[in-house]
Amino acid sequence: MRAAVRAVLGLALLGTALTACAGDDDPVTLRVLASPELADVAPLLAGLEDDTGVRLDIDYRANADLDGQHPAGNGGAAYDLAWLASDRSFQLRVRDSDGRLTRPESTPVMRSPVVVGLAPATARALRAGAPGGRISWADVADAAADGTVRFGMADPRRSDTGRAALVGVATAAAGTGTALREEDVTCDRLRGFRSGQTLTAASSRDLVDRYPARQGDTNALIAHEAELLALNASGALRTPLEIVHPDDGMVLSDFPLLLLDPAQRRAYREVTDWLLAADTQRALMERTYRRPVNQDVEPSARLRTPVGNALSFPDRLSIVEQLITDYGDPARRTADQVVFVLDFSTSMRGDRMAALRAAFAGLSGADDTSTGKFARFYRGERLTVVRFGGRVLEERTVTVRGDADLRALNATVARGGYDDATALWSALDRGYRIATAAVREEPGRPVALVLMTDGENNAGITYREFLRRHRALAPESEAVPTFPVHLGEADPNALRRAADATGGRMVDAGLSSLSDAFKEIRGCHRQ
């Protein structure tokens, strides 16, 4: 018994000695590259140094995937740690680096979903039209397309927050309920949504700082829940934003701390232990409005709104990069032009013409499905309708500014004036002359051509003559793809050849519907 007591006392004394040695260690300073959004944590970090002897020297200029800021290979790190809103893009970059980058240890510190803050009147308008008053990303996209919502969002090329927001919207637009795949970002489903963006910044911190001065022309912000709660509490707004958790899901950021230099693992663990302690988690929650990851800490009342469906991030970097490329520079306003070349031969009478008119009505806002809201015509878009039979019957171009423009376009499609012949290639030639002039007038505007027919060419020029004329057009025509829509007795091989020759692709309306075919291909191309 005495031997056992002596052993226990010896272990206790040894533990005391080790603790004393640890307390006598020199203070450690860790260099940290952090997202600008995390500047709100800085006032709490004095407690970290007091409690652990570890000081964080933070540089708040991390981009979304640490591109150009994380060393190739091991050792020689410019920073010991990285602290990001999300490390998903960076971890994908590590995976694709063929061993040039190492996967760092990563510890989630707090959480916040990417949500929408709406001016109260705008929120009321959207709720009035949403099933059960539950606003979705599709509702936001629809309202952006018609000019009701004018939003701010951080630049997804540089910001974790902007990238998470874009992934959330694109995932909802895909309608699969799963992580985005390559085929989900092939079409420009976000053009209408993007048309509503009136404010951007390199980081969501800068975005939130700029918003109070832009309340007159920007009535929505897409950012982390925490940032919107902090903005509402700041007193900088005339009226607090209503925070909406989109019904079709959100991307959740977990603000991870990453160990870039393995030699600092011991200090890193002291930091993460301190950050995850209950007292620290409560302090972070109270100061930054982010949700605790420590399950022993009860969320405050304002953070008890369920996150709901947490959307998955893509599992391939190429998908994220293509999505960002397709979205483009949010500070640069662009709008497509689509030239619709539509067959008005007598074979189109009846059900086929009814389907065509219904498709245009749906694209003009009558389609209240999720896919319809993402695919609709939008403000600023230029639309041309060329009606043809044995010759061009009518031609009409509108730039969408409101419902009156869409009514004018639908009236053009609704008119009769059928013809007994089908001058397919002559009509397509006319469409290309319109499209080429549009590219020449505004080189930055994406232009596409949609050809819809239910018959074979039996008038006008031949396919070979069309190709000769197409090649003779100005170089601008090369940027304009044709998307033929096959309907009825049309020759699919001829339409496919036209698509291949111009960089487009054929869609068979017989496999779904004319409305679905138009949704799939309208503006669906990359320059």
Side-chain angles (χ1 to χ4, degrees):
M1 177 63 72
R2 290 178 180 176
V5 171
R6 283 197 298 271
V8 170
L9 289 174
L11 289 171
L13 290 171
L14 176 61
T16 301
L18 289 173
T19 302
C21 290
D24 292 338
D25 284 348
D26 292 333
V28 175
T29 297
L30 299 179
R31 300 157 298 172
V32 184
L33 179 64
S35 295
E37 295 93 318
L38 286 160
D40 57 2
V41 174
L44 299 177
L45 297 180
L48 169 67
E49 187 173 0
D50 292 342
D51 293 344
T52 67
V54 178
R55 176 177 174 272
L56 301 184
D57 180 10
I58 302 181
D59 185 358
Y60 295 102
R61 62 184 185 90
N63 58 34
D65 58 7
L66 301 186
D67 191 17
Q69 299 171 320
H70 181 62
N74 297 317
Y79 298 93
D80 302 304
L81 312 178
W83 199 353
L84 309 175
S86 169
D87 66 350
R88 294 182 182 100
S89 290
F90 171 63
Q91 298 292 8
L92 291 176
R93 191 165 75 90
V94 170
R95 194 186 69 179
D96 289 355
S97 68
D98 297 324
R100 296 190 307 276
L101 298 173
T102 56
R103 185 179 182 87
E105 188 173 339
S106 177
T107 304
V109 174
M110 42 198 169
R111 295 192 176 96
S112 193
V114 174
V115 298
V116 187
L118 295 172
T122 307
R124 285 194 298 272
L126 266 64
R127 288 194 190 283
R134 299 186 304 274
I135 298 172
S136 67
W137 285 118
D139 296 320
V140 174
D142 187 51
D146 72 11
T148 301
V149 164
R150 303 177 302 280
F151 68 89
M153 185 178 80
D155 189 340
R157 297 172 302 171
R158 291 177 279 183
S159 164
D160 294 305
T161 310
R163 191 166 296 186
L166 185 57
V167 166
V169 177
T171 303
T176 63
T178 60
L180 287 170
R181 305 161 299 176
E182 294 281 0
E183 57 266 33
D184 295 327
V185 293
T186 56
C187 295
D188 296 334
R189 293 173 178 155
L190 301 183
R191 292 289 189 185
F193 169 76
R194 188 186 186 281
S195 71
Q197 183 162 6
T198 56
L199 178 64
T200 192
S203 72
S204 61
R205 179 178 177 84
D206 290 340
L207 180 79
V208 169
D209 287 346
R210 293 177 186 179
Y211 178 73
R214 296 289 299 273
Q215 294 175 75
D217 63 355
T218 302
N219 57 18
L221 273 184
I222 300 176
H224 284 112
E225 171 192 65
E227 295 168 306
L228 298 179
L229 286 169
L231 178 61
N232 281 345
S234 70
L237 302 181
R238 294 193 293 267
T239 306
L241 296 171
E242 181 174 331
I243 296 177
V244 172
H245 297 76
D247 196 49
D248 39 6
M250 293 154 278
V251 173
L252 189 65
S253 297
D254 57 10
F255 299 88
L257 188 67
L258 282 63
L259 175 63
L260 301 183
D261 184 357
Q264 299 292 352
R265 178 166 282 106
R266 178 181 175 186
Y268 167 78
R269 294 208 171 141
E270 287 191 64
V271 173
T272 56
D273 286 347
W274 185 85
L275 289 171
L276 298 180
D279 287 346
T280 308
Q281 290 273 290
R282 289 190 192 94
L284 287 168
M285 177 177 64
E286 291 167 3
R287 180 169 187 85
T288 73
Y289 302 98
R290 298 185 183 102
R291 300 175 182 233
V293 296
N294 185 332
Q295 295 184 358
D296 292 332
V297 177
E298 184 178 357
S300 60
R302 60 170 60 91
L303 297 178
R304 291 174 191 160
T305 303
V307 172
N309 179 27
L311 299 175
S312 300
F313 205 78
D315 60 2
R316 294 177 59 185
L317 184 61
S318 60
I319 297 174
V320 179
E321 290 174 338
Q322 188 59 66
L323 179 62
I324 292 168
T325 299
D326 283 353
Y327 194 75
D329 182 354
R332 182 172 174 267
R333 301 300 297 274
T334 62
D336 290 9
Q337 177 163 349
V338 183
V339 180
F340 291 93
V341 180
L342 306 177
D343 185 351
F344 270 66
S345 60
T346 52
S347 61
M348 282 291 296
R349 289 181 186 271
D351 291 344
R352 291 174 183 174
M353 186 53 60
L356 173 61
R357 290 166 177 163
F360 265 80
L363 292 172
S364 299
D367 185 347
D368 61 0
T369 65
S370 176
T371 56
K373 290 177 178 179
F374 279 107
R376 62 164 294 163
F377 297 136
Y378 58 89
R379 284 174 63 89
E381 187 174 21
R382 186 182 297 171
L383 303 166
T384 298
V385 168
V386 177
R387 298 170 55 245
F388 74 93
R391 58 186 174 82
V392 172
L393 302 172
E394 185 179 6
E395 179 183 313
R396 180 77 178 261
T397 296
V398 302
T399 298
V400 180
R401 302 298 181 196
D403 288 343
D405 300 303
L406 295 175
R407 286 195 298 270
L409 193 72
N410 279 273
T412 301
V413 177
R415 274 194 284 275
Y418 298 96
D419 194 272
D420 290 335
T422 304
L424 181 63
W425 306 121
S426 294
L428 188 59
D429 176 61
R430 176 58 189 156
Y432 262 97
R433 294 180 188 279
I434 297 169
T436 301
V439 175
R440 188 183 300 117
E441 177 187 340
E442 191 173 347
R445 181 189 288 270
V447 181
L449 197 149
V450 175
L451 171 65
M452 189 226 67
T453 183
D454 71 340
E456 297 184 16
N457 186 70
N458 57 19
I461 65 174
T462 64
Y463 175 66
R464 181 172 294 183
E465 175 62 15
F466 162 73
L467 286 182
R468 188 193 68 77
R469 294 185 182 189
H470 182 264
R471 295 189 189 107
L473 285 172
E476 289 88 347
S477 66
E478 297 176 3
V480 181
T482 297
F483 297 98
V485 178
H486 175 260
L487 190 67
E489 295 76 38
D491 182 353
N493 293 325
L495 297 180
R496 194 172 289 110
R497 286 197 302 270
D500 292 343
T502 60
R505 62 186 174 84
M506 189 190 80
V507 174
D508 192 341
L511 298 178
S512 53
S513 69
L514 193 54
S515 180
D516 287 342
F518 277 4
K519 286 181 195 176
E520 183 179 348
I521 64 175
R522 190 184 65 80
C524 176
H525 69 288
R526 302 185 180 114
Q527 292 186 311

